[in-house]
Structures are given as C-alpha cells and as structure tokens.
Amino acid sequence: MGSSQKGRKAMGRPSVKNQVETALKEINRIGYSKREAKQAGDSSNIHSIKYYRDVQGTAIRFAEFCREQYGIRSIYYLTEEHTKGFLQSLTGKGVSKGYLINVESHLKKLQNGMQKFSEKQGKPPVIFVGTRHIATDEREKPHDRSYSSLEIFEIGKHMSPNVHAAMQMSVHLGLRAKEVTNIRVEHIAENPNGRLQIHIVEGRGVTKGGRFRDIPVPKEYESMLRQLIQGKIPGQKILGMKEGTLRSGLKRACDKSGINSAGWHGFRHTYARQRLEELLGGRKKEGREMIERMLNNRSCGRKIDSGVRAHEKELLNMVKQVINVVHHELGHGNNRWGLVAVYMS
C-alpha cells in the first residue's frame, strides 16, 4: 500500500485518539500488583492510574502530531521515523532530557498495547520504538524535593483545615495525594501495644498499583489521626477529598507563603528523609556517608558494595536494611537504588 493510501481515512475508521485508547486498554492492569507481574516475567502492562494517564496523554499527542505532520490516519502505520520526528519537535521546544526519556517510555507502552491488539487480530506487530534515542543516563541528576519543617509550617498557615489535614497525613505517613484521598478507616489498625499502624492488604483502588502497605504511625501523629477517624465507619474514607482539591490548595498556599512548590510529592520526600534519619539513629552520619558511596558506585557502573572493606560490611548491611524499610513504607520494591538517589540522598 502506497503512502498516499496510508494517509487516507477509511470509511468508518476511528480517530487516532480512539485508536490509542483502544490499544492502551490491552495493557491496562490498574489495581493489580506490578511486583507480581514482574515476578511472572511480564513488565509490558501499566498498573498505575497516574502513569496510565501520562502514557495516554503522550500517546495521543504523538498520534495527533503524526496525523498533522505526516498524514497518518492509522497508528498501525507508525514507524521509527515518526518517533524521531516527534522527539525532534519536542527538543525544539526546549524540554528536558528527562522529559524526552519519559516520552520514549510512554511510546514504548503504546507499542506494547498495539502489539497485543495486533496479535488478537492475527496481524504482524508494529515497531516504531526500537533503540532509545535518549539514553537513560542522560537524565538530569536527582535533587532534594523535600520540604523543610519551617516550609511545611509556613505553607500550612495558608491551607484550609481539610487540606492541612491531608498534608499532615502525607508528611507523617508518606502517602501519595491519591492515596490520601482514598485511604479508609478500615486501613488503620491498632497493635497489641496500643500503637496505630497503616495496614492495607488489598490496595486496589487505594494505593498505587494496588500494592500492600504497612506503615507505623509516628507517635506524634497518633492523636491527630485518631481524631480524623473518630465516629467514622470502617468503609468510610478518612478525608473524602478530591486529589485536585489537594493540589490546588497546595498551589495557593505556596503562592501566598512565597515558598517554592515541590508539588504534593514533596511531602513524600520529606517523609522518606526524616524516616531514614530516624532509622539510622546514632549512626546517621556514617550511614549517610555509606549511602553516598553506594550511589557513587552505581553512577560509575560499579557494584553497590564496590570498595567496601570487610570491617564496613556490617554498616553496609544495616544501611541496606534501613533503606528497604523506607522503600517498603513508601510502596516501593527492595533495592531500588535509583529511587534512593531521588528520595534519600
């Protein structure tokens, strides 16, 4: 079929937007465990609603770009040249390397969905994302996105009581904005010693990817949390707010206080750093030095424990254990060193 024929819109053919949405439905596993899927050898699907929306947005913009620039009416005629042209157009707009890396990852997911759809139709797979054009090691270096205690105090002055309560929940429990809006009374458990614990066994519709979560409630936050759940039934949401309300409330508070916003996710970064220091205890200084050595090894392509002497192994193992505790409480998998660089360095 010639290129002019490819560009023609066939009778009844759905729009490129609808084609993208249909393809992505093939890899929609929102609410199912990403970890279990990986263990089963399948990393082609999407398990997070936020990531699904991000992928869908990028994929639709890509498809519409190809329709306008190349006359493509069916996404099943896409090639690597189209991907290259899209990336070049974004580069011309001055976007960051990290943004381009994410775009390529999103388009790879679209390709996964299209391949699964093609397989159902008995058609050959379409390849338009092969070797990466932007290497992942070109991504900008991670930087500290946490809020200081003073910044949290100043921001809190300009928040409504409900948004302030949501912020405190993220700061003290490390929950994402969406998780704060979804967590229910039944997810708060009381241990035999009387201390509260966040215990989410079935996280579908609550946590990212439906992941299990177990988070000890800090002593200083217990009374506030008890007040929030008082008089509510187990299946009731603790806050019952919309995610957009939290984000707009934070933006207004940052504008009024003059604090640079690190987004709602910045509260998770605050939690991670504070929790890391708490768990390191009296070995905070040497523990942080070990983390920097480990991350430096990783950035240089060496093993994490490269250069660690025999008498330092105990410290290394303790630090790794502490890091994985924080990972677990954040809803991350073990030994995610890229995330250590983002959240704990």
Side-chain angles (χ1 to χ4, degrees):
M1 184 181 288
S3 59
S4 61
Q5 288 176 297
K6 290 178 183 178
R8 289 191 196 129
K9 185 172 182 177
M11 184 69 70
R13 175 181 291 164
S15 68
V16 290
K17 179 176 181 288
N18 287 337
Q19 292 172 45
V20 165
E21 291 172 345
T22 299
L24 290 180
K25 285 178 183 177
E26 297 293 326
I27 56 171
N28 183 342
R29 298 294 182 274
I30 294 170
Y32 294 92
S33 172
K34 181 179 178 180
R35 184 183 301 175
E36 290 177 7
K38 276 190 172 182
Q39 289 172 346
D42 186 1
S43 59
S44 63
N45 298 313
I46 299 176
H47 299 263
S48 156
I49 189 167
K50 181 182 183 302
Y51 191 58
Y52 189 90
R53 288 171 178 165
D54 290 344
V55 170
Q56 182 172 267
T58 298
I60 290 172
R61 287 190 292 274
F62 171 57
E64 291 178 342
F65 169 86
C66 293
R67 182 193 62 202
E68 293 165 6
Q69 298 296 318
Y70 301 104
I72 295 295
R73 298 291 176 181
S74 169
I75 62 175
Y76 292 88
Y77 291 126
L78 292 170
T79 68
E80 289 199 56
E81 284 303 308
H82 298 132
T83 302
K84 186 176 179 181
F86 184 56
L87 293 173
Q88 287 175 342
S89 75
L90 293 175
T91 301
K93 294 177 181 178
V95 303
S96 68
K97 289 286 182 66
Y99 184 90
L100 293 173
I101 290 168
N102 289 340
V103 165
E104 285 200 90
S105 297
H106 295 168
L107 296 184
K108 182 69 173 178
K109 289 296 184 183
L110 172 63
Q111 182 172 274
N112 290 344
M114 290 169 60
Q115 288 177 345
K116 289 189 176 185
F117 185 80
S118 294
E119 187 177 344
K120 282 185 175 180
Q121 305 298 315
K123 296 179 180 179
V126 178
I127 306 294
F128 54 90
V129 183
T131 305
R132 277 189 176 273
H133 294 84
I134 312 295
T136 54
D137 59 6
E138 293 184 49
R139 191 187 295 272
E140 293 80 359
K141 298 292 183 184
H143 62 279
D144 187 351
R145 286 181 55 193
S146 65
Y147 294 100
S148 68
S149 297
L150 179 59
E151 287 174 329
I152 290 171
F153 177 75
E154 291 297 327
I155 290 170
K157 289 180 182 178
H158 303 281
M159 286 179 164
S160 68
N162 287 340
V163 174
H164 187 272
M167 177 185 71
Q168 291 296 327
M169 189 175 285
S170 285
V171 168
H172 289 98
L173 302 176
L175 298 178
R176 299 173 176 87
K178 191 73 174 177
E179 293 168 342
V180 166
T181 63
N182 287 331
I183 191 169
R184 300 187 295 271
V185 175
E186 63 189 309
H187 298 134
I188 313 299
E190 186 166 340
N191 294 328
N193 62 4
R195 296 293 304 278
L196 296 183
Q197 183 98 0
I198 305 302
H199 187 63
I200 305 174
V201 178
E202 177 50 65
R204 188 175 184 184
V206 181
T207 61
K208 182 178 179 180
R211 296 169 193 158
F212 173 89
R213 295 289 276 283
D214 227 350
I215 311 165
V217 177
K219 197 167 186 178
E220 67 272 18
Y221 181 61
E222 277 201 356
S223 61
M224 189 180 298
L225 184 57
R226 287 184 186 277
Q227 287 177 17
L228 289 174
I229 64 176
Q230 188 175 8
K232 294 176 181 173
I233 60 175
Q236 189 174 351
K237 289 183 178 181
I238 296 175
L239 294 177
M241 301 171 67
K242 293 183 178 179
E243 186 179 354
T245 302
L246 305 188
R247 299 193 187 281
S248 59
L250 173 61
K251 184 181 184 304
R252 282 194 299 271
C254 286
D255 289 344
K256 290 180 179 179
S257 64
I259 303 294
N260 289 328
S261 175
W264 198 272
H265 223 64
F267 300 127
R268 271 169 63 80
H269 287 253
T270 299
Y271 173 85
R273 283 171 166 76
Q274 291 180 346
R275 184 69 170 133
L276 177 71
E277 296 207 350
E278 177 188 348
L279 292 172
L280 288 175
R283 307 185 74 178
K284 191 183 307 179
K285 183 176 183 296
E286 57 182 331
R288 282 207 165 275
E289 289 173 352
M290 178 60 74
I291 290 172
E292 293 307 313
R293 287 171 62 184
M294 295 158 77
L295 293 178
N296 184 58
N297 282 335
R298 178 180 180 272
S299 66
C300 295
R302 299 189 293 261
K303 290 183 177 180
I304 290 293
D305 60 356
S306 179
V308 176
R309 297 183 174 89
H311 71 275
E312 298 175 306
K313 291 289 186 181
E314 181 272 332
L315 174 63
L316 172 73
N317 291 331
M318 184 275 287
V319 168
K320 288 171 71 174
Q321 184 177 4
V322 163
I323 285 172
N324 283 330
V325 168
V326 179
H327 273 326
H328 177 78
E329 292 172 2
L330 289 172
H332 298 156
N334 287 341
N335 302 319
R336 298 286 301 279
W337 301 109
L339 291 177
V340 174
V342 172
Y343 283 87
M344 296 178 240
S345 67

